[in-house]
């Protein structure tokens, strides 16, 4: 295929970046004023939704792209095909001069994606650390930032955002790279977070040139599709209350303006909210941002908080309860944004896609770990896998036929979503078997999990007594603590799990319950 007929794909992640200090609490939490021993060193690791997603995405691009697969067989094609690779960049805010910032830059270099440090171009760095560090990534083209005149609204000013900017500037802000204490106990994790420079990271700080033109958009490619993923919306308070809305609209307008004389520039978007530590669950997400988002990716508990629908379990409870709950969620999001595909993860049960008031796709994770090593970052790994699968599907289709999601007929992207959820479930499942949120699985591991997903995808053997059986087994256990030695034992990753009962969240009985629930709702 001639390059002029090819489509260049780029993916920009905009989100938080943290250094995660992991603490595996094998003996439980200490009492007030007490002390407990931990067997593993508390070592800082790269973390944050933005870093995690970019890391897993870059790994999937390297492991499942034709350029890498053919490199050993045809070395002469490297220079010709390298531009065919999907670009992965992360726009975030870090302090390159402190230890955590330097660690994150080094991690990005080793992982194969570029960090664009927006803090570097809009905020002065402190000089507490000696020496220059963090030169792992090339600086993006400089973007001239115009200062608004007095009493003239800037790019980020609106009724709420302007007040936020004023209040934040009146109080001292940290110049440290964000960092987080992650406490892991019996497969569950809790967080203690210092936002650092992420707290003042604004939507208008993002480098506009990169979002519009992308890092290596070769002019000889007449077609260019760019996906923008917002990771950790509730950790980015200066993106809220209309600020992100204006930035996304500006990027779309500028990219559409570049579509002329045979050039087609298209843009899609996705967003992961993350848990709102303020418990407000607002920030303009539903009213301002959601109509501009093609894929909203969140877990069931987050979906319940945002919608106001009571959800107590991350898998939405037992079969009939789950059916009714998902019906309510589908109706809620359809009313708020009819063209947004809402991907709801359900823990070990997998994920579903809600679209226009219906559950259009459901998929089960290939493995269920009774004792996951570390669930931190599993949602980010799922997001990375989902986006990679969708973009790979997008790459194989005619660019003029499949442009932007909002312009298509209902169901046009169903196959893309199925492909995305396959990779998402595989990447998320692999993630919980490893300590650390930014430790991607190998190609062999992902391929095996994909094989399991594909072989079991339409099997109809979901066990209705699954939850009851699971709870009985847990009651019979002696409340054993996780053995820290199991993290170093290779047999842990292959033997200490039970396979899932099916690859679909619904059996034929579930579909009947779903139809009955919808008919009952229509009757009301």
């Amino acid at each position: 295929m001639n390059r002029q007929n090819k489509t260049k794909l780029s993916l920009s992640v905009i989100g938080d970046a943290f250094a995660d200090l992991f603490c595996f609490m094998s003996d439980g939490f200490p009492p007030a004023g007490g002390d407990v021993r931990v067997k593993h060193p508390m070592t800082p690791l790269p973390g944050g939704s933005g870093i995690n997603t970019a890391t897993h995405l870059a790994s999937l691009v390297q492991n499942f792209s034709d350029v890498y697969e053919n490199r050993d067989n045809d070395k002469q094609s490297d220079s010709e095909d390298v531009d065919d690779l999907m670009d992965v960049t992360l726009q975030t805010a870090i302090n390159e001069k402190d230890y955590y910032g330097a660690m994150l830059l080094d991690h990005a270099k080793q992982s194969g994606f570029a960090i664009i440090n927006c803090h570097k171009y809009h905020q002065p760095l402190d000089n507490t650390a000696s020496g220059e560090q963090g030169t792992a990534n090339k600086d993006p083209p400089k973007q001239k930032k115009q200062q608004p005149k007095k009493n003239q609204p800037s790019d980020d000013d609106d009724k709420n955002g302007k007040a936020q900017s004023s209040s934040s500037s009146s109080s001292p802000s940290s110049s440290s790279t964000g960092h987080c204490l992650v406490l892991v106990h019996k497969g569950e994790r809790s967080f203690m977070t210092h936002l650092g420079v992420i707290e003042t990271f604004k939507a208008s700080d993002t480098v506009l040139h990169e979002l519009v033109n992308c890092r290596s958009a070769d002019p000889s490619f007449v077609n260019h599709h760019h996906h923008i993923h917002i990771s950790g919306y509730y950790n980015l308070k200066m993106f809220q209350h209309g600020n992100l809305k204006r930035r996304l609209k500006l990027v779309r307008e500028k990219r559409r303006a570049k579509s002329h004389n045979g050039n087609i520039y298209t843009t899609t978007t996705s967003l992961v909210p993350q848990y709102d530590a303020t418990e407000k669950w607002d920030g303009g997400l539903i009213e301002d941002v959601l109509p501009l988002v093609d894929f909203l990716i969140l877990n069931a508990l987050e979906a319940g908080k945002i919608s106001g629908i009571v959800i107590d379990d991350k898998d939405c409870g037992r079969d009939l309860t789950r059916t009714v709950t998902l019906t309510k969620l589908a109706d809620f999001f359809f009313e708020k944004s009819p063209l947004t595909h809402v991907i709801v993860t359900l823990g070990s049960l997998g994920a579903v896609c809600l679209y226009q008031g219906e559950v259009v796709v459901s998929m089960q994770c290939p493995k269920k770990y009774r004792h996951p090593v570390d669930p931190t970052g599993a949602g980010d790994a799922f997001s990375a896998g989902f986006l990679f699968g969708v973009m790979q599907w997008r790459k194989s289709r005619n660019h003029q036929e499949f442009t932007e999601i909002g312009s298509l007929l209902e169901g046009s992207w169903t196959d893309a979503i199925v492909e995305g959820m396959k990779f998402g479930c595989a990447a998320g499942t692999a993630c919980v078997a490893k300590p650390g949120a930014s430790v991607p699985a190998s190609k062999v591991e992902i391929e095996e999990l994909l094989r399991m997903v594909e072989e079991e995808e339409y099997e109809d053997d979901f066990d209705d007594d699954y939850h009851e059986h699971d709870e009985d087994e847990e009651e019979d256990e002696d409340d054993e603590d996780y053995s820290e030695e199991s993290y170093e034992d290779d047999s842990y990753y292959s033997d200490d799990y039970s396979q899932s009962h099916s690859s679909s969240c619904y059996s034929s009985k579930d579909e009947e319950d779903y139809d009955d629930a919808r008919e009952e709702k229509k009757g009301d």
Side-chain angles (χ1 to χ4, degrees):
M1 183 182 290
N2 190 298
R3 171 167 286 195
Q4 278 69 24
N5 296 322
K6 284 186 176 182
T7 299
K8 175 65 180 179
L9 298 179
S10 300
L11 201 151
S12 292
V13 179
I14 303 174
D16 50 4
F18 291 94
D20 286 343
L21 187 64
F22 276 84
C23 182
F24 292 94
M25 309 291 292
S26 56
D27 294 328
F29 294 92
D35 187 15
V36 295
R37 299 289 185 265
V38 292
K39 297 179 181 178
H40 272 234
M42 290 178 278
T43 306
L45 297 172
S49 184
I51 282 282
N52 298 341
T53 304
T55 301
H56 289 280
L57 260 171
S59 176
L60 290 168
V61 169
Q62 294 171 26
N63 286 334
F64 292 92
S65 294
D66 294 339
V67 174
Y68 283 92
E69 291 178 357
N70 298 330
R71 179 164 292 179
D72 293 336
N73 298 327
D74 187 9
K75 294 184 179 180
Q76 293 181 348
S77 67
D78 286 359
S79 60
E80 299 175 4
D81 294 343
V82 69
D83 285 334
D84 289 351
L85 285 174
M86 187 191 309
D87 293 330
V88 178
T89 59
L90 169 64
Q91 295 207 27
T92 188
I94 60 175
N95 185 340
E96 297 183 13
K97 291 187 177 181
D98 66 22
Y99 172 79
Y100 294 142
M103 179 190 73
L104 294 177
L105 284 172
D106 184 64
H107 169 78
K109 180 180 179 181
Q110 298 298 323
S111 300
F113 67 91
I115 283 184
I116 300 172
N117 183 15
C118 301
H119 177 72
K120 180 177 180 179
Y121 299 101
H122 299 283
Q123 300 273 352
L125 294 176
D126 70 351
N127 296 314
T128 56
S130 60
E132 291 292 331
Q133 299 184 45
T135 58
N137 296 280
K138 294 182 180 179
D139 296 338
K142 291 185 178 179
Q143 178 186 0
K144 187 176 181 180
K145 185 176 178 67
Q146 295 181 349
Q147 297 295 331
K149 295 179 181 179
K150 190 174 183 180
N151 298 326
Q152 178 180 342
S154 68
D155 190 24
D156 267 344
D157 287 341
D158 65 358
K159 185 168 70 173
N160 295 313
K162 190 171 184 179
Q164 252 191 346
S165 299
S166 299
S167 63
S168 64
S169 61
S170 63
S171 59
S173 59
S174 170
S175 61
S176 168
T177 298
H179 46 279
C180 180
L181 178 61
V182 184
L183 305 175
V184 183
H185 180 54
K186 293 189 175 180
E188 296 296 335
R189 73 269 193 267
S190 303
F191 303 94
M192 299 174 66
T193 303
H194 175 70
L195 292 175
V197 294
I198 284 292
E199 189 169 14
T200 55
F201 179 29
K202 298 189 296 182
S204 60
D205 289 344
T206 55
V207 181
L208 187 61
H209 173 81
E210 289 280 344
L211 297 178
V212 175
N213 300 295
C214 305
R215 173 141 302 215
S216 59
D218 191 321
S220 63
F221 284 89
V222 296
N223 301 326
H224 182 225
H225 182 73
H226 187 203
H227 186 89
I228 299 174
H229 177 69
I230 311 300
S231 200
Y233 179 78
Y234 283 123
N235 279 339
L236 306 171
K237 71 175 185 178
M238 304 302 287
F239 279 57
Q240 300 172 24
H241 301 294
N243 295 324
L244 176 60
K245 173 185 177 180
R246 277 190 300 279
R247 201 59 165 179
L248 291 179
K249 289 182 69 173
L250 180 61
V251 171
R252 280 187 183 272
E253 289 169 2
K254 286 184 174 293
R255 285 185 57 78
R256 284 172 178 165
K258 294 175 74 69
S259 293
H260 57 81
N261 297 329
N263 294 283
I264 302 177
Y265 275 59
T266 55
T267 312
T268 49
T269 56
S270 56
L271 183 145
V272 169
Q274 291 292 92
Y275 195 88
D276 185 3
T278 69
E279 293 290 349
K280 294 179 180 179
W281 298 98
D282 185 13
L285 174 61
I286 296 299
E287 302 301 331
D288 293 333
V289 179
L290 194 59
L292 298 174
V293 172
D294 297 299
F295 300 107
L296 176 67
I297 308 172
L298 71 176
N299 64 42
L301 297 177
E302 293 163 350
K305 294 284 189 178
I306 290 171
S307 65
I309 297 170
V310 178
I311 299 177
D312 296 324
D313 301 314
K314 59 185 177 182
D315 59 2
C316 288
R318 301 191 182 187
D319 296 344
L320 183 56
T321 301
R322 187 183 313 117
T323 300
V324 173
T325 299
L326 292 176
T327 301
K328 292 179 180 178
L329 287 175
D331 288 339
F332 172 83
F333 287 110
F334 173 57
E335 180 182 349
K336 298 299 182 181
S337 183
L339 295 179
T340 299
H341 295 77
V342 180
I343 315 299
V344 182
T345 59
L346 304 171
S348 62
L349 287 186
V352 297
C353 174
L354 313 177
Y355 184 65
Q356 297 199 334
E358 304 286 344
V359 178
V360 294
V361 179
S362 62
M363 191 167 296
Q364 173 72 20
C365 288
K367 293 180 182 179
K368 180 181 183 298
Y369 292 88
R370 181 164 298 282
H371 300 305
V373 175
D374 179 15
T376 311
D380 298 324
F382 174 90
S383 297
F386 176 81
L387 295 176
F388 176 78
V390 168
M391 294 288 275
Q392 283 292 96
W393 178 91
R394 177 70 182 71
K395 184 178 181 179
S396 66
R397 296 303 187 272
N398 182 279
H399 190 70
Q400 295 181 351
E401 180 182 358
F402 296 95
T403 53
E404 296 185 355
I405 292 179
S407 64
L408 302 177
L409 297 175
E410 178 181 354
S412 298
W413 282 67
T414 300
D415 290 343
I417 292 167
V418 170
E419 192 68 15
M421 290 176 70
K422 287 179 182 177
F423 274 94
C425 287
T429 300
C431 183
V432 301
K434 298 177 180 295
S438 287
V439 184
S442 67
K443 181 180 180 180
V444 172
E445 290 174 295
I446 296 295
E447 284 180 332
E448 172 62 14
L449 293 169
L450 285 172
R451 181 193 64 77
M452 295 176 66
V453 170
E454 290 170 353
E455 287 185 0
E456 301 179 352
E457 189 169 31
Y458 300 108
E459 290 184 7
D460 187 18
D461 59 352
F462 192 84
D463 185 356
D464 291 333
D465 297 327
Y466 169 74
H467 289 283
E468 182 178 353
H469 174 72
D470 203 38
E471 291 169 1
D472 289 343
E473 284 195 15
E474 289 180 357
E475 290 176 1
D476 291 340
E477 291 179 355
D478 294 328
D479 197 30
E480 62 178 353
D481 290 327
Y482 290 101
S483 171
E484 293 294 339
E485 285 75 17
S486 65
Y487 298 124
E488 300 172 350
D489 185 356
D490 291 338
S491 65
Y492 179 88
Y493 299 104
S494 58
D495 298 329
D496 194 19
Y497 65 83
S498 58
Q499 287 193 14
S500 61
H501 294 271
S502 79
S503 60
S504 173
C505 289
Y506 296 104
S507 65
S508 58
K509 179 180 181 300
D510 296 319
E511 292 175 358
E512 292 172 4
D513 290 339
Y514 176 80
D515 292 337
D516 291 343
R518 291 204 63 82
E519 290 300 322
E520 182 179 348
K521 184 180 184 303
K522 291 178 181 178
D524 293 339

